[in-house]
Amino acid sequence: MQSDSKMKCKFFYALILAMAMSACGNDSDYRSVIPSRAAAVVSVDLNSMSEKAGLSGNTTNSALKGRLKSMFKSGLTGADALVDKLFDNISESGLGLTDKVYVFAGEQAKTSGILVKVDDEDKLEDLLGILSSQHICDKINETDGCKWTSVGNVLLAYKSHAMLLVIDKKSSSTSSLLRKASMWLRQEDGEGFSASDDFRQMSSRNSDIVAWNSLEVFPTEYIYPIVMGVSAELSLKNVKAISTVDFEKGKVKVDIETIFDDKIMDEIMEKKEKVTSSIKGEYIDMFPSNTPFWVAANIKGGDFFDFICGNPSVRRYFEKSMLPVDFASVFDAIEGDVVLALSGNGSSEFIAFADVKSSGFLQSFESLKSMAAMSGGQVLFDNHGENGYEFKTYNGSIVGLSSGPVALWIGVNGNKLYITNKESLIDRHVLGLSLRNKPWGERVKGQKFFMASDLSSLGKLVDVKKGNNLASTFFKMLGKLDYFTVESPEWENLHIEIVMKDKDKNPLSVVLNK
């Protein structure tokens, strides 16, 4: 029964989405339904995304639209006329799907919902009546001034201007969900989240998807490790972000802007600004263009160490380390760019570099020789070259590292600290193209943070030619990705690009034409 309910919900959501994506609208008071205490709100411009996917507008993909229509005809037995009507004229659904659809969640995402504008209540009831006859939803009821039905464990409630789909992680009680839904549906203009400055900031963004959230939306167990050690005066609801997602030709662009209405977070960001600087970008020439993963920042080591040790869990990690190393002196020697890169087909090989002021801190590693001598041969620690060490053990858990064999090389070469698990990477020279020759190579310099990952080989993880299930579809999609980058010119903002192999097609059309 539970799986049957889930199938009903999935089919209903898919039907709404398919109708919306085949639509070709002005915002109205339906937005006042969004609860004022929402911790996350997402607006989705299905009209724009439909055109980009080739389902509407001047570049409609008739073959794709026909496949979707056939899929829903097979799912709605005896309702071919309804499906044809909806795909030919979306207004027959009674829903204003050319207006933005809103998704919202409450504190710790316990309650969440989807809000859709209603243009014609009678047509919506006709649609729900047919879906009820197909056993996709229950029969329509009327309580407390709104009409409602159930789709599995999801409540669908509506009035003349808005339709809500509501679910609660903690409770499947229809009466509890109905009380919330009816209260939200009674809200008028000037009430609810739509009356807030946060909503006005959301509305000023013109993107396919716009998301607003505060830290209150995340479960406590996820937030606690991050804010542990921060003043108890920190207000999670005042730590917010607005994100935008745009589907463009050959790529998906995501921009995240953090908004702090909290003096504690303002102070933290000021400290972070003082202990970091802009990337110089010189290390980029030291890595071949086929490097699968590369990340860089620029830190003032000693101050940065004090900053991160403000978090008790981080401080405890260094204080309780089984390795007798003076970590403070290591960080204090670092001043400048820090990079980490993965190498090799399996991406298990890595090397990290950091600019250092001197190599004097290496003396603190001498104490590891005594530890190795007392390990009965389980740990080996020897000099490697003039300013380096070689560390090996058959079981890393002996010294608080990951279990299994561990081999590390640590040292200073020129003014660069290195640490790697592959000795040949220390003095490797790039023959041919380097990461600077990548499309993003010239964007690294001047950023506060930059990360790039090559996704072009992900499709090889499985045989994507076999299977027609969800997992196969997912991996087929991965096989169409080229790379993604994350960059931050200042810590308050983040820019992400997910780039496709086919630079001439919109990712939405690629997904649907899998």
Side-chain angles (χ1 to χ4, degrees):
M1 287 297 290
Q2 186 177 8
S3 60
D4 184 54
S5 295
K6 288 182 178 178
M7 287 185 66
K8 288 182 181 180
C9 294
K10 288 179 180 178
F11 186 83
F12 189 83
Y13 291 148
L15 179 63
I16 294 293
L17 178 61
M19 291 190 299
M21 294 294 278
S22 56
C24 300
N26 299 318
D27 290 333
S28 64
D29 62 357
Y30 77 106
R31 300 173 303 172
S32 65
V33 173
I34 305 171
S36 59
R37 297 189 63 181
V41 178
V42 180
S43 69
V44 184
D45 190 342
L46 290 174
N47 197 38
S48 168
M49 293 168 64
S50 169
E51 291 187 9
K52 292 178 178 180
L55 288 173
S56 64
N58 297 326
T59 57
T60 300
N61 185 330
S62 300
L64 173 60
K65 193 171 181 178
R67 288 199 301 272
L68 285 174
K69 187 185 291 188
S70 298
M71 180 182 73
F72 283 100
K73 283 182 178 179
S74 65
L76 288 169
T77 307
D80 289 8
L82 168 67
V83 175
D84 285 332
K85 184 190 295 186
L86 293 175
F87 271 78
D88 293 339
N89 185 358
I90 192 61
S91 64
E92 292 299 320
S93 68
L95 297 173
L97 292 168
T98 54
D99 289 85
K100 291 180 179 179
V101 172
Y102 289 89
V103 181
F104 61 85
E107 186 177 346
Q108 298 188 47
K110 294 174 183 175
T111 304
S112 55
I114 300 174
L115 171 65
V116 185
K117 182 184 178 185
V118 172
D119 279 339
D120 191 315
E121 188 177 359
D122 292 335
K123 289 181 178 180
L124 174 59
E125 288 186 4
D126 290 341
L127 171 62
L128 292 176
I130 295 173
L131 294 177
S132 176
S133 68
Q134 297 284 331
H135 305 293
I136 293 173
C137 67
D138 297 334
K139 67 177 184 178
I140 300 172
N141 300 279
E142 186 167 2
T143 306
D144 202 15
C146 70
K147 297 178 181 179
W148 61 276
T149 182
S150 295
V151 187
N153 62 342
V154 178
L155 176 78
L156 185 156
Y158 64 95
K159 294 183 75 172
S160 60
H161 66 302
M163 182 187 80
L164 269 176
L165 292 163
V166 186
I167 189 169
D168 193 314
K169 291 194 304 184
K170 301 294 184 181
S171 171
S172 58
S173 167
T174 299
S175 60
S176 174
L177 290 175
L178 187 57
R179 280 195 300 272
K180 294 177 181 178
S182 62
M183 177 181 68
W184 295 334
L185 285 166
R186 287 196 300 271
Q187 292 179 161
E188 299 179 353
D189 286 349
E191 297 180 343
F193 182 80
S194 63
S196 68
D197 289 334
D198 293 317
F199 185 77
R200 281 187 280 274
Q201 289 194 58
M202 274 189 70
S203 301
S204 68
R205 270 69 168 180
N206 185 25
S207 293
D208 295 324
I209 299 173
V210 181
W212 169 93
N213 73 275
S214 73
L215 285 185
E216 279 191 323
V217 74
F218 300 107
T220 305
E221 58 267 29
Y222 297 149
I223 291 298
Y224 179 72
I226 300 173
V227 302
M228 186 169 56
V230 178
S231 171
E233 296 178 9
L234 175 67
S235 174
L236 296 182
K237 68 179 181 181
N238 291 330
V239 182
K240 316 167 196 176
I242 292 182
S243 308
T244 60
V245 181
D246 288 288
F247 298 90
E248 300 182 355
K249 185 178 290 187
K251 69 175 70 173
V252 181
K253 290 171 60 176
V254 181
D255 285 285
I256 303 172
E257 176 188 349
T258 53
I259 303 169
F260 304 128
D261 295 331
D262 185 276
K263 66 177 183 178
I264 304 298
M265 279 305 301
D266 285 338
E267 291 172 0
I268 291 173
M269 293 307 294
E270 285 178 13
K271 291 178 182 177
K272 189 175 184 179
E273 194 69 33
K274 290 178 181 178
V275 303
T276 60
S277 190
S278 299
I279 299 170
K280 294 179 291 185
E282 296 171 359
Y283 284 106
I284 196 170
D285 297 305
M286 296 174 59
F287 297 90
S289 61
N290 63 351
T291 300
F293 177 85
W294 191 84
V295 60
N298 184 294
I299 66 172
K300 301 169 185 176
D303 294 333
F304 184 81
F305 184 72
D306 292 339
F307 174 72
I308 61 175
C309 285
N311 185 306
S313 60
V314 175
R315 183 173 63 251
R316 191 159 47 247
Y317 173 81
F318 288 115
E319 291 176 347
K320 302 295 183 181
S321 173
M322 297 174 67
L323 294 171
V325 175
D326 183 357
F327 293 103
S329 69
V330 177
F331 274 90
D332 193 54
I334 298 173
E335 187 81 36
D337 283 4
V338 178
V339 301
L340 169 67
L342 300 183
S343 178
N345 295 331
S347 296
S348 59
E349 302 165 2
F350 78 88
I351 188 166
F353 288 107
D355 292 341
V356 291
K357 296 176 287 187
S358 69
S359 60
F361 67 92
L362 289 175
Q363 284 299 313
S364 70
F365 287 88
E366 287 292 321
S367 57
L368 287 172
K369 291 181 178 179
S370 300
M371 181 191 72
M374 294 185 293
S375 69
Q378 295 185 79
V379 176
L380 299 176
F381 190 79
D382 296 310
N383 289 82
H384 181 264
E386 184 178 352
N387 282 315
Y389 297 97
E390 180 179 10
F391 171 88
K392 289 184 177 180
T393 178
Y394 297 106
N395 186 356
S397 62
I398 296 173
V399 291
L401 301 177
S402 59
S403 60
V406 174
L408 295 172
W409 287 262
I410 305 164
V412 174
N413 190 355
N415 63 342
K416 297 177 176 62
L417 165 68
Y418 64 83
I419 177 169
T420 180
N421 63 353
K422 184 75 171 178
E423 184 181 7
S424 61
L425 295 178
I426 299 171
D427 295 312
R428 180 183 58 181
H429 296 285
V430 175
L431 301 176
L433 300 179
S434 73
L435 288 179
R436 192 177 295 278
N437 299 109
K438 301 291 282 186
W440 48 264
E442 296 298 333
R443 301 207 309 263
V444 174
K445 184 178 180 180
Q447 302 283 348
K448 291 294 181 68
F449 174 87
F450 196 96
M451 182 178 74
S453 182
D454 184 356
L455 306 176
S456 60
S457 61
L458 284 179
K460 299 177 183 178
L461 293 175
V462 294
D463 186 354
V464 297
K465 295 180 181 179
K466 295 181 180 179
N468 193 32
N469 53 24
L470 184 60
S472 175
T473 300
F474 174 72
F475 281 109
K476 285 178 182 178
M477 180 59 199
L478 288 183
K480 299 178 186 297
L481 301 178
D482 191 1
Y483 66 88
F484 86 92
T485 58
V486 181
E487 56 198 274
S488 177
E490 62 276 330
W491 290 111
E492 291 82 4
N493 299 300
L494 211 61
H495 177 75
I496 302 170
E497 291 191 6
I498 304 169
V499 181
M500 314 295 291
K501 290 178 180 176
D502 190 336
K503 307 298 188 291
D504 296 322
K505 291 183 179 179
N506 192 285
L508 288 172
S509 66
V510 173
V511 171
L512 292 177
N513 283 284
K514 62 179 179 21

